[in-house]
Amino acid sequence: RSFHDGLAKTRQALGGRLAGLFRRGGKLDDAFYEELEEALIAADVGVETAMALVDELREAVRREKIADPPAAWPLLEALLLKRFAGGAVDLATAEAPPTVYVFVGVNGVGKTTTIGKLAHRLAQAGHRVLLAAGDTFRAGAIEQLQIWGERSGVPVVAKAPGSDPAAVVYEAIQKAKAEGFEFVLCDTAGRLQNKVNLMNELNKIVRVAGREVPGAPHEVLLVLDATTGQNALLQAKAFREVAGASGIVLTKLDGTAKGGVAVAVREQLGLPVKLVGLGEGIDDLQPFEAEAYVRALLS
Ligand code: GDP
């Protein structure tokens, strides 16, 4: 699914509103800027970010002596794009395989689904992928990962429920090294209610990975559910304290009219959005592309 299709709900809400605002032959007056700010806030780009965008747009309009709303449109596009500049979007890979990614995030955000989709994507590209069932806590998590493994034809290393997740990751990495798997994707538990335990658990996984493969984990990806809007940001901040992260996966962008949240995430967390979920299907995971995203947001 493309960004354009995946962001249909947001496009209908925000794009339509913005298009009306910019296309109608009004003036670039206070009423215009107020409505723009409201539309951006409604799309969940965040109050601070919306205010900053509007201020910057006012400034750019003045500087470039723009007279009417249609001419200001490309300026808004450029200001949004600028917010995604810097920070590599491509997933880091190991110099010598295996590349190890650890996925963190609270239950229900789409962690297992994302791992399944990415496994499929990598396998389709001809890579040998192994999954590590590191969520040994939640009932059903291991089985769910195994189902995704079957779907994408990728083996899963799992131990009994309640086992030490770091031991699962260790075993998966040993298998990857012995059998030549290029990627190890590690699921983890998401019970933020018990912060200290979770922190210890995730830190141990990271430590074990780093000991077994130089530079691992090559990514710690924090998975966030876009439909939870600004709550996703609060969750991210809590999680960052617990686990640290190198990038964001924003899931369920297709399920919300508030798809502007990627802007807020990028701005307020200072972490690159690396992948986005645009549906429940196995193919509905895309590398984040700022231009396609901003275009989909505004069109
Ligand atoms: P986990 O608990 O974090 O592992 O979450 P799951 O992977 O089990 O996903 C929870 C629910 O979200 C499932 O019903 C998924 O199908 C759904 N889901 C995950 N990613 C997406 C997405 O990008 N779009 C939509 N619409 N649903 C998604």
Side-chain angles (χ1 to χ4, degrees), residues 14-15 17 21 63 68 84 120 124 132 146 153 159 178 181 210-211 216 229 247 252-253 256 259 263 265 299:
L14 176 70
R17 207 167 155 184
L21 187 60
R63 194 176 53 234
D68 53 10
F84 291 101
H120 176 69
Q124 291 281 87
Q146 279 163 336
K159 287 162 97 72
F181 286 93
R211 200 179 60 212
K252 310 187 199 180
L253 265 178
T256 177
V263 181
V265 162
S299 63

Short mmCIF file of all heavy atoms in Angstrom, two decimals, residues 14-15 17 21 63 68 84 120 124 132 146 153 159 178 181 210-211 216 229 247 252-253 256 259 263 265 299:
data_model
loop_
_atom_site.label_atom_id
_atom_site.label_comp_id
_atom_site.label_asym_id
_atom_site.label_seq_id
_atom_site.Cartn_x
_atom_site.Cartn_y
_atom_site.Cartn_z
N LEU A 14 -7.48 16.25 6.69
CA LEU A 14 -6.57 17.40 6.68
C LEU A 14 -6.39 17.96 5.27
O LEU A 14 -6.50 19.17 5.06
CB LEU A 14 -5.21 16.98 7.24
CG LEU A 14 -4.13 18.07 7.20
CD1 LEU A 14 -4.45 19.17 8.19
CD2 LEU A 14 -2.74 17.50 7.48
N GLY A 15 -6.10 17.07 4.34
CA GLY A 15 -5.83 17.52 2.97
C GLY A 15 -6.99 18.34 2.43
O GLY A 15 -6.80 19.43 1.88
N ARG A 17 -9.26 19.95 4.05
CA ARG A 17 -9.38 21.21 4.77
C ARG A 17 -8.31 22.21 4.31
O ARG A 17 -8.59 23.38 4.07
CB ARG A 17 -9.21 20.92 6.26
CG ARG A 17 -9.90 21.91 7.13
CD ARG A 17 -9.96 21.38 8.55
NE ARG A 17 -10.06 22.51 9.45
CZ ARG A 17 -10.05 22.42 10.77
NH1 ARG A 17 -9.94 21.24 11.34
NH2 ARG A 17 -10.15 23.49 11.52
N LEU A 21 -8.56 25.72 2.16
CA LEU A 21 -8.00 26.94 2.74
C LEU A 21 -7.03 27.63 1.77
O LEU A 21 -7.04 28.84 1.60
CB LEU A 21 -7.27 26.56 4.03
CG LEU A 21 -6.73 27.65 4.93
CD1 LEU A 21 -7.84 28.56 5.40
CD2 LEU A 21 -6.03 27.01 6.13
N ARG A 63 8.91 37.30 3.99
CA ARG A 63 10.23 37.38 3.38
C ARG A 63 10.15 37.28 1.86
O ARG A 63 10.81 37.99 1.14
CB ARG A 63 11.10 36.24 3.94
CG ARG A 63 12.58 36.38 3.66
CD ARG A 63 13.35 35.25 4.34
NE ARG A 63 12.82 33.94 3.98
CZ ARG A 63 12.42 33.01 4.86
NH1 ARG A 63 12.51 33.24 6.14
NH2 ARG A 63 11.94 31.86 4.45
N ASP A 68 -0.87 35.59 -2.02
CA ASP A 68 -2.13 34.88 -1.82
C ASP A 68 -1.91 33.43 -1.39
O ASP A 68 -0.82 32.88 -1.54
CB ASP A 68 -2.97 34.95 -3.11
CG ASP A 68 -2.18 34.48 -4.31
OD1 ASP A 68 -1.07 33.93 -4.11
OD2 ASP A 68 -2.66 34.63 -5.44
N PHE A 84 11.81 16.78 8.57
CA PHE A 84 12.27 15.39 8.47
C PHE A 84 13.72 15.28 8.00
O PHE A 84 14.22 14.19 7.78
CB PHE A 84 11.35 14.60 7.55
CG PHE A 84 9.99 14.39 8.14
CD1 PHE A 84 8.92 15.17 7.74
CD2 PHE A 84 9.79 13.45 9.13
CE1 PHE A 84 7.67 15.00 8.30
CE2 PHE A 84 8.54 13.27 9.70
CZ PHE A 84 7.48 14.04 9.27
N HIS A 120 9.00 -10.60 6.05
CA HIS A 120 8.53 -10.88 4.69
C HIS A 120 9.25 -10.00 3.67
O HIS A 120 9.72 -10.47 2.64
CB HIS A 120 7.02 -10.61 4.64
CG HIS A 120 6.43 -10.76 3.29
ND1 HIS A 120 6.31 -11.98 2.65
CD2 HIS A 120 5.93 -9.84 2.42
CE1 HIS A 120 5.75 -11.80 1.46
NE2 HIS A 120 5.52 -10.51 1.30
N GLN A 124 11.61 -11.44 0.87
CA GLN A 124 11.28 -11.17 -0.54
C GLN A 124 12.49 -10.61 -1.29
O GLN A 124 12.67 -10.87 -2.47
CB GLN A 124 10.15 -10.14 -0.64
CG GLN A 124 8.81 -10.60 -0.19
CD GLN A 124 8.13 -11.46 -1.22
OE1 GLN A 124 8.34 -12.67 -1.23
NE2 GLN A 124 7.33 -10.88 -2.08
N ALA A 132 13.30 -14.05 16.64
CA ALA A 132 13.53 -14.47 18.03
C ALA A 132 12.32 -14.07 18.87
O ALA A 132 11.99 -12.89 18.97
CB ALA A 132 14.80 -13.80 18.58
N GLN A 146 5.11 -17.13 15.68
CA GLN A 146 5.29 -18.33 14.86
C GLN A 146 4.36 -18.30 13.64
O GLN A 146 4.75 -18.72 12.55
CB GLN A 146 5.07 -19.59 15.71
CG GLN A 146 6.34 -19.92 16.51
CD GLN A 146 6.10 -20.87 17.66
OE1 GLN A 146 4.98 -20.97 18.17
NE2 GLN A 146 7.14 -21.57 18.09
N GLY A 153 7.58 -17.53 5.67
CA GLY A 153 8.55 -18.58 5.39
C GLY A 153 9.87 -18.37 6.11
O GLY A 153 10.94 -18.66 5.58
N LYS A 159 11.49 -20.35 23.04
CA LYS A 159 11.62 -21.23 24.20
C LYS A 159 10.27 -21.21 24.92
O LYS A 159 9.35 -20.53 24.48
CB LYS A 159 12.74 -20.72 25.11
CG LYS A 159 14.14 -20.96 24.56
CD LYS A 159 15.16 -20.10 25.25
CE LYS A 159 15.91 -20.77 26.36
NZ LYS A 159 16.87 -21.77 25.90
N ALA A 178 25.77 -19.74 13.06
CA ALA A 178 26.11 -21.09 12.63
C ALA A 178 25.53 -21.40 11.25
O ALA A 178 26.13 -22.11 10.46
CB ALA A 178 25.61 -22.10 13.65
N PHE A 181 22.29 -16.98 8.78
CA PHE A 181 21.17 -16.04 8.64
C PHE A 181 21.71 -14.61 8.67
O PHE A 181 22.61 -14.30 9.45
CB PHE A 181 20.15 -16.23 9.78
CG PHE A 181 19.33 -17.48 9.62
CD1 PHE A 181 19.73 -18.66 10.23
CD2 PHE A 181 18.18 -17.46 8.85
CE1 PHE A 181 18.99 -19.82 10.07
CE2 PHE A 181 17.43 -18.62 8.69
CZ PHE A 181 17.84 -19.80 9.30
N GLY A 210 25.05 -7.36 21.88
CA GLY A 210 26.31 -6.64 21.66
C GLY A 210 27.53 -7.51 21.93
O GLY A 210 28.58 -7.33 21.31
N ARG A 211 27.38 -8.45 22.85
CA ARG A 211 28.50 -9.33 23.17
C ARG A 211 28.72 -10.36 22.06
O ARG A 211 29.83 -10.75 21.75
CB ARG A 211 28.20 -10.03 24.49
CG ARG A 211 29.41 -10.59 25.20
CD ARG A 211 28.99 -11.24 26.51
NE ARG A 211 28.06 -12.33 26.26
CZ ARG A 211 27.08 -12.69 27.10
NH1 ARG A 211 26.87 -12.04 28.22
NH2 ARG A 211 26.29 -13.69 26.80
N ALA A 216 25.94 -4.84 17.57
CA ALA A 216 24.53 -5.21 17.73
C ALA A 216 24.01 -4.70 19.08
O ALA A 216 24.78 -4.62 20.03
CB ALA A 216 24.37 -6.73 17.65
N GLY A 229 -2.44 8.81 18.75
CA GLY A 229 -2.14 10.24 18.66
C GLY A 229 -1.10 10.71 19.65
O GLY A 229 -0.04 10.10 19.79
N GLY A 247 15.32 4.43 16.41
CA GLY A 247 14.36 4.85 15.40
C GLY A 247 12.96 4.44 15.79
O GLY A 247 12.76 3.67 16.73
N LYS A 252 -0.26 1.64 11.93
CA LYS A 252 -1.69 1.95 11.83
C LYS A 252 -1.97 3.37 11.33
O LYS A 252 -2.97 3.96 11.68
CB LYS A 252 -2.39 1.72 13.18
CG LYS A 252 -2.07 0.35 13.80
CD LYS A 252 -2.89 0.06 15.03
CE LYS A 252 -2.24 -1.04 15.87
NZ LYS A 252 -2.98 -1.36 17.07
N LEU A 253 -1.05 3.89 10.51
CA LEU A 253 -1.29 5.21 9.93
C LEU A 253 -2.54 5.19 9.06
O LEU A 253 -3.17 6.22 8.83
CB LEU A 253 -0.09 5.65 9.08
CG LEU A 253 0.95 6.52 9.77
CD1 LEU A 253 2.09 6.82 8.82
CD2 LEU A 253 0.34 7.83 10.28
N THR A 256 -6.19 6.11 10.99
CA THR A 256 -6.44 7.36 11.69
C THR A 256 -6.50 8.55 10.74
O THR A 256 -5.84 8.55 9.70
CB THR A 256 -5.33 7.62 12.75
OG1 THR A 256 -5.56 8.88 13.37
CG2 THR A 256 -3.94 7.60 12.13
N GLY A 259 -2.99 11.44 10.99
CA GLY A 259 -1.69 10.97 10.48
C GLY A 259 -0.59 11.99 10.59
O GLY A 259 0.57 11.67 10.30
N VAL A 263 4.82 13.93 12.23
CA VAL A 263 5.55 15.20 12.35
C VAL A 263 5.89 15.46 13.81
O VAL A 263 7.03 15.81 14.15
CB VAL A 263 4.70 16.37 11.80
CG1 VAL A 263 5.47 17.68 11.88
CG2 VAL A 263 4.26 16.10 10.36
N VAL A 265 6.07 13.27 16.22
CA VAL A 265 7.01 12.24 16.68
C VAL A 265 8.45 12.64 16.32
O VAL A 265 9.36 12.61 17.15
CB VAL A 265 6.66 10.87 16.06
CG1 VAL A 265 7.81 9.90 16.15
CG2 VAL A 265 5.43 10.29 16.76
N SER A 299 -2.22 16.41 0.17
CA SER A 299 -2.96 16.36 -1.10
C SER A 299 -4.43 16.06 -0.88
O SER A 299 -4.82 15.54 0.15
CB SER A 299 -2.36 15.32 -2.02
OG SER A 299 -2.48 14.04 -1.42
#
